């Protein structure tokens, strides 16, 4: 088996590890179709406490699955990583 030199296996492994939890996969999948969303809205939509959402977001952000930017007193998150977008798009079924 030969390794494709254009693929960073460690980077993909970190992405898959971060997306390996159902809540994190749900967050990333839903953020892909939105321009951005804040923690409060995610907590409300998922029906889980805000601190739990924040912990999952930290894992996703550390794995470079999503980015966050400050908007006033809130942090808004969105998926911008093209590798992650391709992975999540492959989950869509017709």
């Amino acid at each position: 088996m030969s390794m494709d030199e254009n693929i960073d296996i460690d980077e993909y492994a970190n992405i898959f590890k971060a997306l390996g939890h159902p809540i994190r996969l749900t967050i990333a999948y839903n953020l892909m179709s939105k321009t951005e969303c804040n923690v409060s809205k995610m907590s409300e939509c998922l029906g889980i406490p805000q601190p739990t959402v924040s912990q999952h977001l930290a894992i996703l952000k550390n794995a470079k699955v999503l980015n966050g930017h400050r908007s006033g007193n809130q942090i808004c998150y969105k998926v911008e990583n093209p590798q992650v977008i391709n992975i999540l798009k492959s989950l869509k079924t017709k």
Side-chain angles (χ1 to χ4, degrees):
M1 178 171 86
S2 65
M3 298 295 288
D4 185 341
E5 293 157 13
N6 296 324
I7 295 176
D8 185 342
I9 296 298
D10 291 332
E11 184 178 354
Y12 273 101
N14 287 332
I15 289 169
F16 286 125
K17 197 182 317 181
L19 293 174
H21 191 283
I23 291 173
R24 292 193 292 269
L25 182 57
T26 300
I27 289 169
Y29 186 81
N30 288 316
L31 278 176
M32 187 183 67
S33 63
K34 298 184 182 314
T35 52
E36 60 187 29
C37 192
N38 64 37
V39 179
S40 299
K41 182 69 175 171
M42 286 185 234
S43 176
E44 180 184 314
C45 291
L46 294 168
I48 58 176
Q50 189 170 332
T52 303
V53 174
S54 293
Q55 289 174 345
H56 286 296
L57 288 170
I59 292 167
L60 291 168
K61 193 172 176 187
N62 287 336
K64 297 181 180 145
V65 169
L66 50 82
N67 295 322
H69 69 90
R70 188 162 293 282
S71 177
N73 62 349
Q74 299 177 37
I75 298 177
C76 297
Y77 294 91
K78 61 183 173 178
V79 176
E80 294 180 315
N81 183 326
Q83 296 161 316
V84 173
I85 291 169
N86 287 333
I87 291 167
L88 295 173
K89 281 183 178 178
S90 73
L91 299 176
K92 287 189 174 187
T93 58
K94 294 183 179 187

